[in-house]
Amino acid sequence: MLNGHLLHQHIERFPEARVLCVGDLMLDRFVYGAVSRVSAEAPIPILHTSAQNIMLGGVGNAARNIAALGSRVVLVAVIGDDLAGREIDGLAAAEGLIDARLAVESGRQSTVKTRYIASGQQLLRADEETVRPLPAATIDELAKQIETAVTEVDVVVLSDYAKGVLADGVLRAAIATAKAAGLPIIVDPKRGDFAAYAGATVLKPNRAELATATNMPCDSGPAHTRACSRGVRCLGRRRYRRRHAGRFAGHRSRPRLCGTARQHRRRGRGRESWHGNGERR
């Protein structure tokens, strides 16, 4: 079982950590209101808006959560030269513990997810985004930012939302640079082939991502544990996995977690599995 007391001890030590977050950065916009009638133009509700809120999303959400626990964060990502990009830049600058080092790509649409909500129920989400490979100049800029940042941090978090930032060039550079510096690498994956993340210390897919990548059911605790073990095998050759892929964590459903971890040689061969409950802090 997952040791909750040990996890709490680690959480208390978050202010000592310095974390590099790299990935797809976006703007989360929330539009709140009330619905009292259905449109005469189509069978859809009419939302009378009353309030809006914006916050960092994607890898920015990970950075905010890490900073909320007291850690200092270096955030490396890409924004467009548009209004949403400037809003993202302003939100990041307002976070006291986040050092945002953002590459600005001309002509790129910054990713915006707008959610329309009434009475606590999400009615619709509208996405504005650019999903295309980054130009070579932007990849080089990100690689240089990562190379500099790894000398300042204790751990690297890669947050992949398949929006183009963690394309092959940036992903390989981030993992190789972090490994050369001896840093642990935690990946929130999106690709269907986990081999792309070979070299990561921990992979943390959700249930749907794990099922897609392993082609296995994840509808129960034992099934999810078996899929986690298959996920580790998806990372690459057996010899490579033994050296570089130690742990694999997956979301089952709120608030459950489970995973597998390579056992220490002194404890015996094989893998040990664990399960635990998430707690809202």
Side-chain angles (χ1 to χ4, degrees):
M1 292 294 291
L2 194 62
N3 189 322
H5 177 69
L6 182 60
L7 280 179
H8 288 166
Q9 287 182 328
H10 285 308
I11 289 172
E12 296 302 324
R13 295 181 58 190
F14 258 72
E16 303 172 18
R18 299 165 299 172
V19 183
L20 169 60
C21 291
V22 183
D24 296 296
L25 181 59
M26 56 193 72
L27 182 70
D28 281 342
R29 189 184 307 278
F30 299 87
V31 180
Y32 300 94
V35 173
S36 59
R37 60 193 179 96
V38 175
S39 172
E41 301 170 358
I44 56 173
I46 297 176
L47 178 67
H48 296 274
T49 62
S50 58
Q52 294 192 28
N53 186 30
I54 58 173
M55 61 183 64
L56 295 176
V59 68
N61 184 54
R64 286 193 309 110
N65 289 334
I66 293 168
L69 291 170
S71 297
R72 293 193 173 274
V73 180
V74 176
L75 175 60
V76 174
V78 177
I79 57 175
D81 59 344
D82 54 8
L83 176 59
R86 291 188 289 275
E87 288 182 292
I88 291 171
D89 190 37
L91 289 171
E95 295 282 347
L97 293 178
I98 297 180
D99 177 7
R101 305 175 186 181
L102 308 180
V104 180
E105 183 185 337
S106 178
R108 186 179 186 87
Q109 164 71 58
S110 299
T111 300
V112 182
K113 294 184 178 181
T114 304
R115 297 167 177 87
Y116 296 89
I117 302 169
S119 301
Q121 177 67 46
Q122 182 171 319
L123 306 177
L124 174 71
R125 194 184 87 185
D127 291 0
E128 305 166 64
E129 61 188 18
T130 298
V131 182
R132 67 168 183 244
L134 298 173
T138 304
I139 292 176
D140 290 343
E141 182 178 353
L142 291 177
K144 291 176 183 177
Q145 291 282 15
I146 293 168
E147 185 176 0
T148 299
V150 295
T151 65
E152 308 168 21
V153 300
D154 307 302
V155 61
V156 175
V157 173
L158 304 179
S159 189
D160 192 355
Y161 283 79
K163 305 302 180 187
V165 172
L166 285 179
D168 290 342
V170 176
L171 185 60
R172 285 195 298 265
I175 292 177
T177 304
K179 281 178 56 183
L183 300 179
I185 308 160
I186 302 170
V187 178
D188 192 354
K190 193 67 174 180
R191 299 191 188 197
D193 182 3
F194 287 163
Y197 307 106
T201 312
V202 177
L203 249 67
K204 190 199 68 61
N206 61 33
R207 185 168 58 179
E209 292 162 347
L210 180 60
T212 298
T214 62
N215 196 28
M216 294 179 66
C218 299
D219 51 0
S220 68
H224 200 281
T225 299
R226 289 191 294 270
C228 283
S229 296
R230 171 74 66 84
V232 174
R233 293 196 292 273
C234 290
L235 286 171
R237 295 170 305 188
R238 184 177 179 183
R239 180 179 178 185
Y240 186 86
R241 293 196 308 269
R242 284 204 301 265
R243 293 175 55 199
H244 299 295
R247 294 174 176 81
F248 196 95
H251 294 283
R252 278 176 54 191
S253 61
R254 295 180 183 178
R256 296 288 293 172
L257 294 171
C258 81
T260 61
R262 177 165 49 87
Q263 292 182 350
H264 195 278
R265 290 179 181 176
R266 294 179 181 175
R267 299 179 185 172
R269 300 179 63 181
R271 292 184 179 274
E272 57 182 352
S273 63
W274 50 262
H275 301 261
N277 290 319
E279 296 180 19
R280 189 180 296 274
R281 293 287 306 267

